[in-house]
Amino acid sequence: MNHASPAPTPRRARVRAPELIGKGGWLNTGDKQYTLADLRGRIVILDFWTFCCINCLHVLDELRELEERHRDTVVIIGVHSPKFVHEAEHQAVVDAVERYGVEHPVLDDPELATWKQYAVRAWPTLVVIDPEGYVVAQHAGEGHAHAIARLVEELEAEHAAKGTLRRGDGPYVAPEPEPTALRFPGKALLLPSGNFLVSDTTRHQLVELAEDAETVVRRLGSGTRGFTDGTADTASFSEPQGLALLDDGSVAVADTVNHALRRLDPATGEVSTLAGTGRQWWQGSPTSGPAREIDLSSPWDVAVFGGKVWIAMAGVHQLWTYDPETGTVAVAAGTTNEGLVDGPAAEAWFAQPSGLAATADRLWLADSETSALRWVDPDGHVHTAVGTGLFDFGHRDGAADQALLQHPLGVTALPDGSVAVSDTYNHALRRYDPATGEVTTLATDLREPSDAVLAGDEIVVVESARHRLTRLRLPEEAVRVESVAHRTRRAATEVAPGRLRLDVVFQAPTGQKLDTRYGPSTRLLVSSTPPELLLKGEGADTDLSRELDLNPAVTEGVLHVSAMAASCDDDEAGGTSRSKTGGEYPACHVHQQDWGVPVRITEGGADRLPLVLAGMDEQQPA
């Protein structure tokens, strides 16, 4: 802990905060509508998020402690800014706010009006507004809670002294709880008894249902968010998702927000931990080793394939494995870069893998952010059956290379060798047949289906947003729907052909400096879609600024930018953390973010592209 005298408050760049506008209105406020003027005197943190985004969900969890500690001075406002068409539906936002336990006001901004006013370019982005209504900081990506907490303390002291700080209750009003048996269930598993085990995600429990898929047999877990092993009554989970039956009759549970793999003994109801520490994996953390000593990141589903438990590690866009024989975990596929790249496991890119299903010779996966159905062969090569990348999605049947999905979360192997896809944001169950290469629709009018399991000649679908399991006959004829195709709705940034200066803005938080003890502390990776867009500037380097050369023959595309910066407490500031062995070392933090920036090549367009990782772009006009 740092007991040194506080340094003088540095003079901050300040920009007047634009008004908060959202056609969908306000949630979690008891139907009251707010303006920035209503919040004057409070420190306001805007969290630009969208509910499909795993990094946004990580930030929700990062902010919980700060929100509780500064409840009388800080107002966090989630500005919901949709990527997918489904996320622009008001009821979908209402559902997501409850599903993820958001305990602050949320502005539903389906047309991205406030997003544009604040020049936001990435999910998630955090903007800090001081009690006088000025923007004083902006942060993109995860890992900024410590920096924002320090800034909040500075602002509290500064504005208390000026008389401009107003303490008191915030505008949050909790919604009334709904009395349903399940609440936003995630995944389901058919037990050998014929009963169903369901991850009741929002209530932090597992629920066993009878063969009718409705009657509650028992609840497993206390129902309170936590990370505790023990009996069915005392054990606790945090938003559990995927379930897989292991050879010994136990069940592996992807305990998503605990960043852990848990084990349930169905006979006794005992819950123990197989893998994970409860801490989130960050760049530079170990990627293999004893399972209980290695950090994981938002495991979303699990499946047994090739004698190992495969884990859809949504939080880092990878597949990992847990080996029950050795009690170890290891990365199996993916680089942590977000996108759609096939090939050898170590070179493949994924984007929030969220559903797994194993057959004898394929591990199928629903790759949600690329709206893709993909598979891994026994040799470890990754293939794509349906999907083209991060920006194309929709509901279109037909040949697999033309078919479209929208953020699928589940995949189920069918007896004939085909697979059913829980096409979540299309509210549909789709089917892909490898023999014909065709995609069809099995059922529509499902509400956010997130998984499905076979039960005899029926398929039982987890209708997450209807809080139930729904039985369907496997139809012999596919349902036909009108084809719909979409691209990501964000407006393109107009840039000039030729040289473009890319600046990732990073200012180390107060009391910290770049961590150069083990070499360069920053990393910048740049690529493009299509690849021909970049004539120069592609690849990885340690400088956070780079000259790009844009091909004038390519009229539009997407720049993919991934940036990382590591900072540690400045020794001179006296900031330290205590290690497990009792020694002290500087507290260090990794800041990282991926951007997909749609660009349009236009004469007279911008010749500089600033992306704020942390701080303020000082070249931006006030």
Side-chain angles (χ1 to χ4, degrees):
M1 188 175 292
N2 183 4
H3 295 288
S5 299
T9 304
R11 186 177 181 279
R12 280 186 211 92
R14 300 202 308 173
V15 176
R16 175 64 73 181
E19 190 51 82
L20 304 178
I21 307 163
K23 196 172 182 180
W26 291 79
L27 306 176
N28 281 356
T29 62
D31 294 328
K32 182 172 178 182
Q33 307 297 298
Y34 281 86
T35 66
L36 276 177
D38 299 324
L39 304 171
R40 197 61 51 83
R42 310 299 287 273
I43 300 163
V44 177
I45 300 173
L46 302 182
D47 176 14
F48 289 87
W49 71 298
T50 189
F51 62 78
C52 72
C53 160
I54 191 68
N55 311 90
C56 300
L57 303 186
H58 289 167
V59 167
L60 284 176
D61 294 309
E62 286 179 7
L63 292 176
R64 290 185 202 280
E65 183 181 348
L66 181 146
E67 193 167 18
E68 185 59 39
R69 185 180 299 173
H70 299 276
R71 196 168 285 281
D72 65 333
T73 58
V74 171
V75 175
I76 296 176
I77 294 173
V79 182
H80 189 269
S81 313
K83 171 187 173 182
F84 290 99
V85 170
H86 169 60
E87 293 173 307
E89 294 178 19
H90 182 69
Q91 185 57 47
V93 181
V94 172
D95 288 344
V97 167
E98 181 188 351
R99 181 195 298 270
Y100 297 116
V102 179
E103 295 185 353
H104 51 246
V106 172
L107 177 64
D108 180 12
D109 182 19
E111 297 177 347
L112 303 181
T114 297
W115 165 288
K116 293 169 187 172
Q117 287 295 311
Y118 280 83
V120 174
R121 295 186 185 275
W123 298 276
T125 291
L126 296 168
V127 174
V128 182
I129 301 172
D130 72 12
E132 294 178 289
Y134 289 91
V135 174
V136 293
Q138 183 169 326
H139 300 265
E142 307 175 45
H144 301 293
H146 69 286
I148 292 175
R150 183 169 291 193
L151 175 58
V152 163
E153 289 169 1
E154 292 175 6
L155 291 171
E156 285 176 340
E158 177 185 336
H159 288 273
K162 290 174 67 174
T164 49
L165 185 70
R166 178 168 57 89
R167 295 179 182 271
D169 292 334
Y172 171 67
V173 177
E176 288 292 321
E178 297 287 343
T180 53
L182 302 173
R183 204 70 193 160
F184 298 104
K187 305 286 185 182
L189 176 69
L190 183 65
L191 296 169
S193 65
N195 288 354
F196 295 91
L197 186 67
V198 184
S199 54
D200 197 20
T201 305
T202 297
R203 293 206 178 117
H204 315 296
Q205 286 182 320
L206 307 181
V207 177
E208 184 177 343
L209 300 179
E211 292 185 36
D212 63 6
E214 295 180 12
T215 305
V216 175
V217 175
R218 60 175 171 165
R219 296 182 180 274
L220 301 140
S222 65
T224 300
R225 186 192 295 271
F227 188 17
T228 310
D229 290 341
T231 66
D233 294 329
T234 62
S236 56
F237 301 93
S238 187
E239 299 182 29
Q241 289 279 352
L243 307 165
L245 192 65
L246 303 183
D247 291 341
D248 64 0
S250 65
V251 176
V253 182
D255 194 6
T256 305
V257 177
N258 278 329
H259 310 295
L261 194 65
R262 313 292 290 282
R263 177 186 183 272
L264 168 71
D265 184 338
T268 65
E270 284 281 332
V271 175
S272 55
T273 299
L274 294 174
T277 63
R279 296 184 300 270
Q280 183 183 337
W281 187 94
W282 285 100
Q283 292 288 351
S285 302
T287 55
S288 63
R292 293 290 303 273
E293 299 175 15
I294 303 297
D295 299 340
L296 309 181
S297 183
S298 298
W300 207 275
D301 203 4
V302 281
V304 177
F305 179 63
K308 295 181 179 179
V309 180
W310 286 65
I311 307 167
M313 204 71 77
V316 284
H317 318 299
Q318 290 180 315
L319 303 179
W320 288 43
T321 55
Y322 165 74
D323 188 337
E325 293 292 320
T326 61
T328 56
V329 292
V331 172
T335 64
T336 75
N337 291 317
E338 185 179 14
L340 193 153
V341 176
D342 289 339
E347 300 171 15
W349 291 23
F350 301 97
Q352 281 177 226
S354 301
L356 299 174
T359 62
D361 60 352
R362 292 188 183 190
L363 178 72
W364 293 97
L365 66 120
D367 204 27
S368 62
E369 278 292 285
T370 52
S371 297
L373 172 66
R374 307 176 73 185
W375 53 280
V376 184
D377 66 27
D379 296 326
H381 278 69
V382 178
H383 311 261
T384 297
V386 182
T388 61
L390 288 163
F391 302 99
D392 291 293
F393 55 91
H395 192 153
R396 186 161 67 198
D397 288 340
D401 61 352
Q402 299 293 316
L404 294 172
L405 308 169
Q406 186 180 180
H407 198 81
L409 291 179
V411 59
T412 308
L414 300 179
D416 63 357
S418 66
V419 290
V421 179
S422 295
D423 193 7
T424 310
Y425 288 3
N426 280 329
H427 309 302
L429 191 66
R430 312 287 291 283
R431 175 177 177 264
Y432 168 68
D433 186 350
T436 64
E438 291 288 313
V439 175
T440 52
T441 298
L442 296 175
T444 57
D445 195 32
L446 301 166
R447 186 70 187 169
E448 291 193 21
S450 54
D451 196 21
V453 291
L454 284 176
D457 58 358
E458 294 181 317
I459 190 163
V460 178
V461 180
V462 180
E463 270 200 278
S464 189
R466 284 200 178 112
H467 319 293
R468 70 187 188 192
L469 303 191
T470 299
R471 284 182 178 275
L472 300 173
R473 298 287 295 180
L474 279 173
E476 295 179 12
E477 294 294 327
V479 177
R480 292 200 172 276
V481 297
E482 292 295 323
S483 291
V484 180
H486 302 288
R487 285 189 70 84
T488 297
R489 297 150 43 93
R490 284 174 294 162
T493 298
E494 294 194 346
V495 293
R499 294 178 60 182
L500 176 69
R501 175 77 175 181
L502 172 65
D503 287 329
V504 173
V505 177
F506 178 76
Q507 294 152 2
T510 304
Q512 294 211 326
K513 62 182 180 182
L514 287 174
D515 176 18
T516 55
R517 292 171 299 159
Y518 308 111
S521 60
T522 55
R523 178 174 178 269
L524 179 64
L525 175 68
V526 180
S527 61
S528 66
T529 303
E532 298 78 26
L533 174 63
L534 276 178
L535 296 175
K536 189 181 97 176
E538 186 179 15
D541 203 345
T542 57
D543 194 343
L544 290 182
S545 293
R546 190 177 300 180
E547 291 282 348
L548 308 181
D549 190 2
L550 302 183
N551 186 347
V554 178
T555 56
E556 61 181 28
V558 178
L559 290 174
H560 304 281
V561 180
S562 178
M564 183 275 288
S567 63
C568 286
D569 284 350
D570 193 331
D571 294 337
E572 296 174 6
T576 56
S577 295
R578 187 167 293 277
S579 71
K580 292 179 182 176
T581 58
E584 291 192 341
Y585 60 92
C588 299
H589 306 273
V590 175
H591 316 257
Q592 63 186 89
Q593 175 61 20
D594 296 331
W595 290 268
V597 183
V599 294
R600 183 177 298 113
I601 311 299
T602 310
E603 290 293 341
D607 61 4
R608 176 176 179 263
L609 177 61
L611 300 175
V612 177
L613 179 61
M616 296 282 283
D617 178 19
E618 294 184 354
Q619 293 188 43
Q620 179 181 349

